[in-house]
Amino acid sequence: MKETFLVTGGVRLKGTVKVVGAKNSVLKLMAAALLAEGTTTLTNCPEILDVPLMKDVLEGLGCQVEIERDNVRITTPAQLKSDADFDAVRQFRASVCVLGPLTSRCGRAVVALPGGDAIGSRPLDMHQTGLEKLGATTQIRHGAVVATAEKLRGAHISLDFPSVGATENILTAAVLADGVTVLDNAAREPEIVDLCDMLNEMGAKVEGGGTSTITIEGVEKLHPTTHEVVGDRIVAGTWAYAAAMTGGDITVGGIAPVHLHLPLQKLRLAGAEVETYATGFRVSMPARAQAVDYQTLPFPGFPTDLQPMAIGLAAVSEGVSVITENVFESRFRFVDEMQRLGADATVDGHHVVVRGMEELSSTAVWSSDIRAGAGLVLAALCADGVTEIHDVFHIDRGYPQFVDSLQQLGATIERVTKP
């Protein structure tokens, strides 16, 4: 059975929505629980498909995992298995984050090359190089990354690119290494800060989270903790752009606005009225949006995960926008589906030129990844008639209660099951 969304356009979204913990954080925090024997509890977790997928990965390593609404409890044994289950790991990209903890705890890790969204190449060379700097030996064998180390030792590591995944794996490996590790050109995303905070709560000595240089002083042992997952800035940003695209008025809670400084600033430039609060913001669009240019970059730049929403807004704005993708080379696959909806968008290398129009036209479209799927739903809200969106399981991997939230904001959307 396949599920699709039927979305009726022409509705102005209005109301309040609260985001919960970030998909891009909770999965990495679940993996970090491997570092300490005992029970770690994560609160404010999103109810998304990727959480039970990570549960399967951890249980395959010997953990016991309980999911109860927005709480996840992970009981890690004294002796972990070092081979991550192939079938579980290959379903989603974030599963590779068990590589660092397993190498650190077990002295060996075998992790299948992960699957996930079709947004471009995401090699593991920086992950491997970082572990090798710490004293591990790594290789790719039979479709898996194999890392071995008698004992990891602190090192000075400089990343060629501020990769979030490489930063996370190096962090979780270095916290139990002998000596001090200095990681230069580290990723600065709020989810990295969240991981650093949790590691410190577990007894690690990590400084500099949120900056380009992170210093980790290795400790002998970590202990379990209870930690609240940081709010999901990408989900929050999706609601912000939904307000702008539909000429709506949405208040979003559960998020620090500073984590969305540039996306909210772009909305202001497009003509939106944006108010910020301590734990949220409000976006209203009093008139048709004006064209704005975007280029995606690592945090604090414009997030690549909000690029489909930027293209969607550009498609219904007044004027011409140029969107530049600097992170993932295949993320413009989304543009093909926008063109089905009548968008005037032309791809030129890693740029797309979008000439805005007042209204899109309904049709059938297909999601290729989590964010593209959400972007297509927002675009469908700006189309005449009913748009049918296929492969919505992608959206369920990253957006909790997506349909319910849209309905509460006034959207006409339903989930339909078909053979």
Side-chain angles (χ1 to χ4, degrees), residues 83-84 86 90 108 110-113 139-146:
D83 290 26
F86 180 84
R90 66 188 297 271
R108 171 181 165 84
V110 180
V111 182
L113 295 174
Q139 56 184 320
I140 304 293
R141 289 180 57 84
H142 306 297
V145 184
V146 180

Side-chain angles (χ1 to χ4, degrees), residues 119-133:
I119 56 177
S121 174
R122 295 191 279 185
L124 299 182
D125 53 339
M126 284 188 286
H127 302 242
Q128 293 179 255
T129 300
L131 292 177
E132 289 168 0
K133 289 275 190 178

Side-chain angles (χ1 to χ4, degrees), residues 131-269:
L131 292 177
E132 289 168 0
K133 289 275 190 178
L134 293 171
T137 299
T138 74
Q139 56 184 320
I140 304 293
R141 289 180 57 84
H142 306 297
V145 184
V146 180
T148 57
E150 288 188 12
K151 181 62 181 177
L152 298 178
R153 292 178 173 79
H156 194 131
I157 302 169
S158 183
L159 296 178
D160 293 335
F161 177 84
S163 161
V164 171
T167 298
E168 290 162 342
N169 267 325
I170 293 167
L171 263 173
T172 52
V175 288
L176 294 178
D178 284 343
V180 176
T181 297
V182 178
L183 179 58
D184 283 331
N185 200 25
R188 300 165 58 187
E189 275 74 2
E191 296 79 20
I192 294 292
V193 178
D194 202 27
L195 176 59
C196 291
D197 289 345
M198 177 172 156
L199 291 172
N200 285 334
E201 291 164 11
M202 296 172 72
K205 296 181 179 179
V206 180
E207 297 181 354
T211 73
S212 58
T213 300
I214 300 177
T215 303
I216 309 109
E217 182 180 343
V219 298
E220 290 187 8
K221 188 176 182 179
L222 298 178
H223 56 76
T225 190
T226 297
H227 180 82
E228 180 178 343
V229 183
V230 70
D232 198 318
R233 62 194 171 98
I234 305 302
V235 174
T238 300
W239 299 129
Y241 277 72
M245 289 174 66
T246 64
D249 186 343
I250 299 176
T251 298
V252 182
I255 185 71
V258 67
H259 295 166
L260 283 167
H261 174 76
L262 188 54
L264 293 178
Q265 182 60 24
K266 289 290 186 180
L267 289 179
R268 289 187 179 98
L269 293 174

Side-chain angles (χ1 to χ4, degrees), residues 232-314:
D232 198 318
R233 62 194 171 98
I234 305 302
V235 174
T238 300
W239 299 129
Y241 277 72
M245 289 174 66
T246 64
D249 186 343
I250 299 176
T251 298
V252 182
I255 185 71
V258 67
H259 295 166
L260 283 167
H261 174 76
L262 188 54
L264 293 178
Q265 182 60 24
K266 289 290 186 180
L267 289 179
R268 289 187 179 98
L269 293 174
E273 297 175 357
V274 180
E275 302 173 49
T276 59
Y277 316 105
T279 58
F281 58 85
R282 176 184 177 187
V283 174
S284 59
M285 182 63 83
R288 186 181 174 194
Q290 300 298 305
V292 176
D293 293 339
Y294 301 83
Q295 59 173 325
T296 66
L297 289 167
F299 189 86
F302 191 88
T304 182
D305 280 354
L306 288 179
Q307 181 243 83
M309 294 65 178
I311 293 176
L313 179 58

Side-chain angles (χ1 to χ4, degrees), residues 14-27:
K14 185 177 181 180
T16 299
V17 64
K18 187 177 186 297
V19 301
V20 291
K23 167 195 176 292
N24 289 339
S25 191
V26 65
L27 305 175

